[in-house]
């Protein structure tokens, strides 16, 4: 059994977390604390879920999917640090792990983590889509900005 | 006696994709499978209806797949409407096996196509 542990990094919300100042009243800080705790919990669950992908054997989906490689699993856990708001996490039948964010407007972004790169697929609220590959994990933030600002 | 199955998948035929309970490929928020459920390393494997009833197909898939959550299905015509290619390629274990390809020259489905399938598919829980 493999287990890849990662420390949980505090999301950007901690810039205001626990601080009282003239810009935030206590009810806002309370709400932000709740959001932060919720995302920390979701991140813990996501790490656990991804670690469990180590246990998938060949043909795990009944359609001859190969087991997910440890390289992909480790990359996926590292990538979670880039998300202030945790994505949904799914394995695919082609040795990749997929992160998804979607809202009710139809806006959607997907990060498909392969052994060699991270592939992004984005759809805006009116259905325009684009795909591209990230050359470095640091580009995740820029891709997420595209999603949140669309 | 082997059924006489046409090599051409009729537009009205349903194509079925089994979805297991674990690992989770179901999006609880939007109540549909993730597009991840429609990504295989080569063509997307599905089973065609052929001469069978809907219930016969479900029964067959339940025998073949363990820990089944349910079955996603869509018509051949809905696949063709999003420009996908359906190939009937039976195997010794599965006379009804088909593959869905992105195009004549590209086998694996694109992310956009996988997502379209996840959104247009119907789902039967078993």
């Amino acid at each position: 059994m493999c287990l890849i542990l990662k420390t949980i990094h505090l999301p950007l919300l901690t810039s205001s977390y626990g601080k009282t100042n003239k810009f935030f009243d206590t009810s806002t800080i309370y709400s932000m604390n709740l959001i932060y705790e919720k995302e920390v919990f979701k991140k813990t669950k996501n790490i656990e879920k991804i670690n469990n992908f180590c246990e998938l054997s060949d043909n795990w989906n009944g359609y001859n999917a190969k087991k997910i490689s440890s390289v992909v699993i480790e990359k996926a856990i590292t990538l979670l640090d880039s998300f202030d708001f945790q994505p949904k996490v799914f394995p695919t039948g082609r040795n990749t792990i997929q992160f998804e964010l979607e809202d009710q407007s139809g806006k959607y972004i997907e990060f498909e983590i392969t052994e060699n790169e991270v592939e992004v697929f984005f759809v805006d609220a009116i259905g325009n889509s684009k795909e591209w590959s990230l050359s470095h994990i640091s580009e995740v933030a820029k891709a997420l900005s595209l999603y949140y600002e669309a | 006696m082997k059924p006489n199955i046409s090599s051409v998948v009729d537009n009205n035929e349903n194509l079925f994709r089994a979805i297991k309970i674990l690992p989770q490929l179901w999006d609880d928020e939007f109540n549909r499978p993730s597009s991840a459920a429609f990504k295989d390393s080569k063509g997307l494997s599905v089973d065609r209806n052929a001469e069978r009833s809907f219930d016969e197909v479900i029964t067959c898939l339940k025998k073949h797949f363990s820990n089944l959550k349910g079955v996603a299905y869509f018509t051949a015509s809905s696949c063709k409407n999003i420009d996908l290619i359906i190939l009937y390629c039976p195997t010794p274990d599965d006379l009804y096996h088909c593959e869905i390809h992105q195009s004549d020259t590209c086998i694996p489905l694109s992310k956009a196509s996988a997502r379209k399938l996840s959104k247009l598919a119907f789902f039967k829980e078993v």
Side-chain angles (χ1 to χ4, degrees):
Chain A
M1 178 181 141
C2 69
L3 186 66
I4 299 167
L5 298 175
K6 297 293 286 190
T7 55
I8 296 174
H9 293 268
L10 302 178
L12 291 177
L13 292 172
T14 57
S15 60
S16 301
Y17 173 69
K19 294 180 187 174
T20 53
N21 58 45
K22 60 181 178 180
F23 300 111
F24 298 102
D25 59 26
T26 50
S27 65
T28 302
I29 291 171
Y30 177 71
S31 299
M32 291 166 77
N33 286 350
L34 284 178
I35 293 169
Y36 164 71
E37 284 172 12
K38 184 178 164 186
E39 292 306 316
V40 167
F41 176 74
K42 282 162 98 173
K43 184 172 183 177
T44 305
K45 298 307 281 184
N46 273 345
I47 290 173
E48 184 182 320
K49 185 182 282 191
I50 295 171
N51 272 322
N52 285 341
F53 293 164
C54 289
E55 307 297 320
L56 296 176
S57 53
D58 284 345
N59 197 33
W60 57 265
N61 66 355
Y63 290 107
N64 297 315
K66 296 293 179 198
K67 59 183 293 172
I68 310 280
S69 76
S70 56
V71 169
V72 171
I73 287 171
E74 190 156 345
K75 272 179 79 171
I77 291 179
T78 301
L79 203 72
L80 280 181
D81 286 343
S82 305
F83 289 79
D84 288 338
F85 295 96
Q86 286 296 293
K88 294 168 191 165
V89 176
F90 302 102
T92 80
R94 50 196 196 199
N95 187 30
T96 66
I97 291 173
Q98 182 162 305
F99 291 176
E100 298 177 17
L101 289 169
E102 184 172 9
D103 72 15
Q104 299 293 332
S105 73
K107 207 170 51 164
Y108 172 83
I109 191 163
E110 172 190 301
F111 296 83
E112 190 170 354
I113 300 141
T114 76
E115 287 195 341
N116 301 314
E117 58 190 358
V118 177
E119 299 166 357
V120 187
F121 172 58
F122 167 71
V123 184
D124 68 18
I126 55 173
N128 300 313
S129 66
K130 60 186 276 190
E131 292 189 37
W132 70 101
S133 294
L134 305 181
S135 52
H136 193 270
I137 207 166
S138 61
E139 293 172 17
V140 171
K142 191 174 171 187
L144 285 171
S145 295
L146 178 68
Y147 171 78
Y148 286 117
E149 292 165 15
Chain B
M1 190 171 118
K2 276 188 183 178
N4 186 18
I5 304 174
S6 166
S7 61
V8 176
V9 178
D10 187 84
N11 282 341
N12 293 324
E13 278 189 71
N14 279 321
L15 300 169
F16 298 83
R17 174 84 173 173
I19 296 186
K20 293 196 168 202
I21 295 170
L22 286 175
Q24 187 175 346
L25 288 168
W26 188 259
D27 185 334
D28 289 322
E29 182 184 0
F30 291 94
N31 201 33
R32 61 172 183 253
S34 161
S35 62
F38 301 97
K39 292 182 177 178
D40 279 344
S41 58
K42 295 177 183 170
L44 180 72
S45 284
V46 292
D47 274 27
R48 66 187 289 188
N49 228 125
E51 82 293 353
R52 301 177 293 174
S53 70
F54 185 89
D55 287 343
E56 282 173 334
V57 176
I58 299 298
T59 301
C60 189
L61 289 171
K62 282 168 76 173
K63 281 183 190 166
H64 185 76
F65 290 87
S66 59
N67 300 315
L68 205 56
K69 175 180 175 66
V71 178
Y73 62 98
F74 35 81
T75 60
S77 60
S78 62
C79 268
K80 292 174 187 175
N81 287 344
I82 56 173
D83 300 324
L84 299 177
I85 308 290
I86 305 164
L87 297 175
Y88 174 47
C89 36
T91 68
D93 296 330
D94 187 359
L95 279 177
Y96 301 96
H97 179 255
C98 296
E99 280 187 12
I100 300 175
H101 292 186
Q102 181 62 42
S103 69
D104 289 330
T105 53
C106 179
I107 294 176
L109 295 193
S110 70
K111 297 177 202 309
S113 293
R115 176 150 170 88
K116 285 176 187 171
L117 284 179
S118 74
K119 293 183 82 176
L120 64 82
F122 296 97
F123 189 76
K124 169 74 177 171
E125 203 151 346
V126 301

